[in-house]
């Protein structure tokens, strides 16, 4: 055996295959992730947004993150806050992609339809998780396709991408979850916390004397 299953093909492994007379191997197809931006006030990047409009940039962030994790991304057109429109796009995306991300529309606001639509098309596993930021996230599936409703707030959504979506991609590739490195440090200022959530606080790590 030159390499076990589900091993990343590195340059040296490629050479080992050829040296061993192996010219073809079966590989896992790159997963395709559909990204659906939503919102009446969201517009495509423009140099001159009108009053009340918000430039849609989350999809660019998440597409770049997904690329680093080894996936292909499909960014769908912005969907206005109309339930039937969003339902159609989610339904189509779940037949075209291996994972579907719905940007915004996951909280309890008037026009937040993501959870309802996933429930109508498939199954909602969780709506709301005990992490902060990122509480409003929706986790569900349509058929065998995972559908994740991301919060609209970028910092919250990035946490969900790192803590929920990346492990989904790792599962797809059957690669082990990577444990993040940890270090014990002293906070430079007081952080008020609650007991209800696992909280993520972004910090700058430095050294003061021996601390």
């Amino acid at each position: 055996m030159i390499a076990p299953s589900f091993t990343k093909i590195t340059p040296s492994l490629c050479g080992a295959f050829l040296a061993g007379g192996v010219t073809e191997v079966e590989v896992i197809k790159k997963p395709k992730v559909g990204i659906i931006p939503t919102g009446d006030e969201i517009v495509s990047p423009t140099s001159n947004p009108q009053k009340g409009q918000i430039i849609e940039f989350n999809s660019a962030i998440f597409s770049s993150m997904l690329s680093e994790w080894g996936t292909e991304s499909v960014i769908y057109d912005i969907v206005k806050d109309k339930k039937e429109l969003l339902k159609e796009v989610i339904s189509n995306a779940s037949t075209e992609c291996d994972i579907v991300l719905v940007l915004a529309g996951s909280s309890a606001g008037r026009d937040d339809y993501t959870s309802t639509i996933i429930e109508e098309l498939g199954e909602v596993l969780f709506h709301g998780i005990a992490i902060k930021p990122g509480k409003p996230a929706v986790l569900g599936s349509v058929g065998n396709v995972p559908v994740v409703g991301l919060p609209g707030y970028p910092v919250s959504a990035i946490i969900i991408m790192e803590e929920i979506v990346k492990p989904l991609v790792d599962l797809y590739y059957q690669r082990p979850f990577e444990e993040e490195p940890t270090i014990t440090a002293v906070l430079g200022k007081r952080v008020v916390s609650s007991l209800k959530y696992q909280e993520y606080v972004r910090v700058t790590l430095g050294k003061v004397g021996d601390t």
Side-chain angles (χ1 to χ4, degrees):
M1 181 175 68
I2 297 174
S5 298
F6 308 112
T7 298
K8 183 176 181 180
I9 300 178
T10 60
S12 58
L13 182 54
C14 184
F17 279 141
L18 293 174
V22 179
T23 58
E24 290 186 2
V25 293
E26 288 188 358
V27 297
I28 298 175
K29 180 184 175 185
K30 272 190 176 184
K32 182 185 292 185
V33 182
I35 301 174
I36 306 173
T38 73
D40 290 337
E41 74 286 4
I42 303 298
V43 295
S44 297
T46 172
S47 59
N48 187 29
Q50 302 301 304
K51 185 176 181 180
Q53 292 181 333
I54 300 174
I55 290 177
E56 199 288 296
F57 56 83
N58 278 345
S59 60
I61 297 173
F62 305 147
S63 178
S64 297
M65 294 173 74
L66 288 161
S67 178
E68 289 184 346
W69 300 337
T71 81
E72 296 178 354
S73 299
V74 178
I75 301 175
Y76 289 82
D77 292 337
I78 296 168
V79 181
K80 298 299 181 183
D81 287 323
K82 289 186 171 50
K83 182 181 174 183
E84 291 309 312
L85 285 178
L86 183 56
K87 185 175 182 179
E88 181 181 358
V89 177
I90 292 176
S91 178
N92 291 338
S94 67
T95 64
E96 298 167 351
C97 302
D98 300 296
I99 301 172
V100 176
L101 308 179
V102 184
L103 311 190
S106 65
S107 68
R110 175 176 57 85
D111 295 327
D112 293 338
Y113 299 122
T114 303
S115 178
T116 303
I117 291 170
I118 295 173
E119 193 165 29
E120 291 177 1
L121 294 173
E123 179 184 10
V124 172
L125 302 173
F126 300 100
H127 185 188
I129 53 180
I131 70 173
K132 182 180 179 182
K135 294 179 290 182
V138 183
L139 313 178
S141 63
V142 176
N144 292 323
V145 176
V147 181
V148 181
L150 298 171
Y153 182 50
V155 175
S156 300
I158 287 170
I159 295 294
I160 300 301
M161 288 290 294
E162 292 172 342
E163 299 299 318
I164 302 294
V165 178
K166 185 178 185 299
L168 274 177
V169 175
D170 289 339
L171 277 172
Y172 185 94
Y173 277 120
Q174 298 196 38
R175 59 192 177 199
F177 298 146
E178 296 178 6
E179 291 289 338
E180 293 291 338
T182 61
I183 189 169
T184 301
V186 177
L187 288 172
K189 64 179 181 180
R190 187 177 175 218
V191 175
V192 179
S193 182
S194 72
L195 298 177
K196 294 193 295 182
Y197 307 107
Q198 178 171 315
E199 297 193 32
Y200 293 80
V201 181
R202 294 199 178 269
V203 299
T204 299
L205 187 65
K207 195 158 187 175
V208 178
D210 295 328
T211 303

